[in-house]
């Protein structure tokens, strides 16, 4: 039976490159027989964590926005794939906010184990996504049953939709999903 795969796309840009790559990963995962859900944070309301830590007692956030439903989806997924543009050599603020808002799960019996990261950046360098991966690892360290299972560095992508003409990256993204 296929795994439950949750893809979380955090770019707000129309024609987002990281989202294009995430969609390819989705195709690969679907072709491999997994049960895949794609979340576009662009369509959701995600407020900042207020740091009250009430969730550590109640497993419930005091803020009621779209995170409540999404946190539940994160909890029950086997595999998480985060997609983010590189902003100042880090993950997007929205992805970071999403990770912070997953704090109710810290005291929960979460199911996810393998976590993947897909990035897009203008910079082609191999290490353009390094700090974003490092940042995500900070979250993974706290969810100690999980691990960073793979990173796709989508380098050389400046303009919107540019990823569509990078066959090699599209192929790598597809394979990332296929090999889950
Ligand atoms: C605020 C901001 C900061 C950025 N910082 C970087 C950066 O540090 N390095 C880089 O290579 N590209 C940087 N970029 C370019 C984006 O990473 C690039 O356009 C990427 O393809 C955007 O992904 P998206 O289309 O999924 O939003 C930045 C773009 C913005 C808007």
């Amino acid at each position: 039976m296929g795994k439950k795969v949750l893809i979380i796309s955090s770019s707000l840009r129309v024609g987002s490159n990281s989202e294009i790559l995430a969609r390819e990963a989705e195709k690969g995962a679907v072709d491999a027989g997994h049960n895949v859900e794609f979340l576009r944070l662009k369509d959701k309301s995600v407020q900042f964590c207020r740091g009250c830590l009430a969730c550590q007692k109640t497993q419930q956030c005091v803020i009621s926005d779209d995170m409540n439903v999404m946190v539940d989806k994160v909890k029950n997924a086997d595999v998480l794939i985060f997609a983010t543009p590189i902003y100042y050599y880090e993950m997007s603020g929205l992805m970071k906010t999403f990770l912070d808002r997953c704090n109710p799960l810290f005291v929960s019996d979460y199911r996810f184990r393998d976590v993947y990261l897909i990035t897009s950046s203008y910079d082609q360098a191999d290490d353009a996504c390094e700090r974003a991966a490092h940042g995500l690892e900070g979250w993974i360290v706290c969810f100690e049953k999980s691990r960073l299972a793979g990173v796709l560095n989508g380098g050389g992508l400046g303009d919107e939709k540019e990823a569509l003409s990078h066959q090699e990256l599209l192929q790598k993204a597809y394979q990332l999903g296929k090999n889950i």
Side-chain angles (χ1 to χ4, degrees):
M1 216 181 76
K3 294 177 184 169
K4 258 182 144 170
V5 178
L6 186 66
I7 304 178
I8 301 125
S9 176
S10 66
S11 175
L12 298 182
R13 181 151 82 151
V14 175
S16 155
N17 290 311
S18 52
E19 185 170 318
I20 289 167
L21 296 177
R23 287 286 181 197
E24 287 300 305
E26 179 184 34
K27 283 183 206 160
V30 167
D31 287 353
H34 300 305
N35 175 353
V36 188
E37 184 169 4
F38 197 103
L39 297 178
R40 288 170 93 209
L41 300 188
K42 194 201 295 224
D43 305 330
K44 310 285 182 191
S45 152
V46 180
Q47 293 182 36
F48 289 116
C49 173
R50 295 178 192 165
C52 69
L53 292 174
C55 61
Q56 300 305 284
K57 290 188 186 127
T58 62
Q59 293 198 35
Q60 188 70 40
C61 186
V62 296
I63 305 168
S64 69
D65 60 8
D66 292 332
M67 275 312 292
N68 306 87
V69 170
M70 293 196 287
V71 161
D72 227 48
K73 291 179 188 293
V74 171
K75 183 183 177 186
N76 295 312
D78 297 303
V79 178
L80 304 175
I81 302 178
F82 288 97
T84 181
I86 293 296
Y87 287 170
Y88 294 102
Y89 292 98
E90 252 290 1
M91 69 180 77
S92 68
L94 185 50
M95 176 172 155
K96 179 66 168 80
T97 300
F98 185 94
L99 294 177
D100 293 344
R101 289 290 306 283
C102 286
N103 204 48
L105 299 181
F106 184 65
V107 287
S108 79
D109 189 19
Y110 58 90
R111 187 165 150 175
F112 58 89
R113 296 294 180 266
D114 285 351
V115 182
Y116 293 86
L117 177 66
I118 295 174
T119 65
S120 59
S121 61
Y122 175 74
D123 192 339
Q124 293 192 33
D126 288 344
D127 62 356
C129 66
E130 201 171 75
R131 289 181 181 84
H134 193 70
L136 178 57
E137 275 175 315
W139 187 81
I140 288 170
V141 159
C142 298
F143 289 97
E144 52 187 30
K145 288 181 282 185
S146 70
R147 65 178 190 118
L148 186 61
V151 179
L152 172 54
N153 176 33
L157 304 174
D159 294 340
E160 62 255 27
K161 292 192 183 167
E162 217 178 318
L164 290 174
S165 58
H166 286 242
Q167 278 310 320
E168 198 189 311
L169 283 176
L170 294 172
Q171 193 59 29
K172 278 187 183 166
Y174 179 85
Q175 286 304 329
L176 182 150
K178 190 88 194 280
N179 295 332
I180 279 167

